[in-house]
Amino acid sequence: MAAPLARPAKTPAPQAAPPPTGHTGPAGPAASAGPGKPGVPGTRRGQRRAVALFTVPFFALFTTVTVLPMVYAAWMSLYREESSGLGFGGTERVFAGFGNFTEALGNEAFLRSFGNIALYCALYIPAMVGGALVLALLVDSTMARARRFFQIAYFLPHAVPGLIASLIWLYLYTPGLSPITDALDALGAQWNFFGQDEAIFSVVNISAWQWTGYNMIIFYAGLQAVPREVLEAATVDGAGALRTALQVKIPMIRPTVVLTLLFTCVGAIQLFDAPKLVQLRANTMGEDWSPTMFIYTAAFKGHDYGLAAASSLLLALVAGLLSFVVTKIGNRWKAS
C-alpha cells in the first residue's frame, strides 16, 4: 500500500510588531510602563506626597507666625477702645472702620519716624554694604593670607545678639566708663555720642558693627563663584587688582548685591533694639524715633492697640512697596 503524500508545512503569517510604549494606535491603548518608571501614576503620587511632607511644616509655621498675626492685627485695627462716664464707666470696644489708619497717617510723630529711618538708611546702607563689599574683595584677593581667620573674625560681631550688642555699645558710649571717650578726651577731641545730632551716628555704628561681617560672608561666597578663567583673562589683558575688582568681580555678583540691599532695606525699616537703648541716654531722640518704637509706645504705653495695629499694617505696606522698588531697580542694574 502506498504511503500517503506528506502535506507541506504551513509558514506562520508574520505578526505586526506591538506599538511602542506611550503610543495609542487604532488597535487600542498602549501598554502601561513598568513599575518604577517615570510617568507611572503611583510614582507621581509618591512624589506629590514627598513634596507635601516637606512643604506642609513650612506653610503651617508660616501661617501660625505670620498670616494669623496679620489677620488678627487687621481685625484689631478696625476697633478702638473708648471710655464712658468721664473715665469712670470703664472702656468698651467700638467699631472704628478706617479711623485708626486715618489717625496714624495724620500723626506727626508717626510720619516723622519714617523720616528718621530714611536718614538712617542714607547713612547706614552705603557704609555697611560698601564696607562689607570692600572686606570681601580684600579677603578674596590673591594677596590675602589667613582667610579663614579673617572670615571668622569679621563674622563674630553678628554672632552677638542685637540686644547684647546695643548694651555693649551703650557702655562704650558712656563718658567716664568708656575707653573710647577717654581716648578722645586725651586727644582733645569732643564728641557726645548721645547728642541731638550725634545720636543717629551712634545707632548707625551699632548696626554696621553687627551686620558688616555677616554680609561680607555673603559677598565672599558670591565671589567664590566667579569663574577663575575670567579673572585670569582679565590679568592677561593687563587689568590690575583694582580694575579687576571694579569691572569684573563686582558686576558678576550683582544678584548677590541686589539681594543684600533688599534684605538690608527691609531690616532697616524695622529697626528697634539699637535706637530704643540709645534713647535711654539720648533723650532728644524720643520714644517714637522709629516706626517700630512708635508702635511699641502706642500699644504698651498708650494702650491704644487699634492705633498700634493700624500702624503696623501701614509699616508692612511700606516695607512691601520698598521691596518692590528695590527689586525693580536691582533688576535694571543687573540687566545693564
Side-chain angles (χ1 to χ4, degrees), residues 7-39:
R7 295 182 180 178
K10 293 183 179 181
T11 304
Q15 298 179 357
T21 303
H23 172 74
T24 302
S32 60
K37 295 183 179 180

Side-chain angles (χ1 to χ4, degrees), residues 276-299:
K276 183 63 177 177
L277 288 179
V278 173
Q279 179 266 333
L280 298 177
R281 298 297 307 273
N283 297 326
T284 56
M285 291 183 63
E287 295 184 343
D288 48 13
W289 187 84
S290 69
T292 52
M293 292 174 63
F294 175 86
I295 295 171
Y296 175 86
T297 303

Side-chain angles (χ1 to χ4, degrees), residues 122-148:
L123 298 172
Y124 165 67
I125 293 178
M128 190 277 295
V129 176
L133 191 57
V134 169
L135 291 177
L137 291 171
L138 290 176
V139 174
D140 186 65
S141 64
T142 56
M143 300 179 61
R145 297 293 183 270
R147 296 183 180 181
R148 295 298 182 187

Side-chain angles (χ1 to χ4, degrees), residues 16 18 27 34 38 48 77 83 95 107 109 111 115 118 122 128 137 181 188 190 193 238 249 266 273 287 326:
R48 294 193 193 101
S77 66
S83 58
F95 182 76
N107 193 301
L111 299 178
M128 190 277 295
L137 291 171
T181 57
Q190 298 292 331
F193 290 100
K249 291 184 176 181
V266 174
D273 292 345
E287 295 184 343
V326 173

Side-chain angles (χ1 to χ4, degrees), residues 106-199:
N107 193 301
E108 182 180 354
F110 183 62
L111 299 178
R112 185 173 59 247
S113 66
F114 283 98
N116 296 332
I117 286 295
L119 179 59
Y120 165 83
C121 290
L123 298 172
Y124 165 67
I125 293 178
M128 190 277 295
V129 176
L133 191 57
V134 169
L135 291 177
L137 291 171
L138 290 176
V139 174
D140 186 65
S141 64
T142 56
M143 300 179 61
R145 297 293 183 270
R147 296 183 180 181
R148 295 298 182 187
F149 169 77
F150 285 106
Q151 290 179 40
I152 297 175
Y154 292 144
F155 183 78
L156 278 179
H158 180 71
V160 180
L163 183 61
I164 303 302
S166 301
L167 288 173
I168 293 173
W169 279 103
L170 191 65
Y171 161 78
L172 294 175
Y173 291 155
T174 303
L177 299 176
S178 170
I180 297 178
T181 57
D182 294 341
L184 291 176
D185 292 340
L187 295 174
Q190 298 292 331
W191 184 268
N192 182 12
F193 290 100
F194 303 113
Q196 181 176 1
D197 298 327
E198 297 86 355

Side-chain angles (χ1 to χ4, degrees), residues 234-235 238-245:
T235 304
L242 180 60
R243 186 177 178 184
T244 301

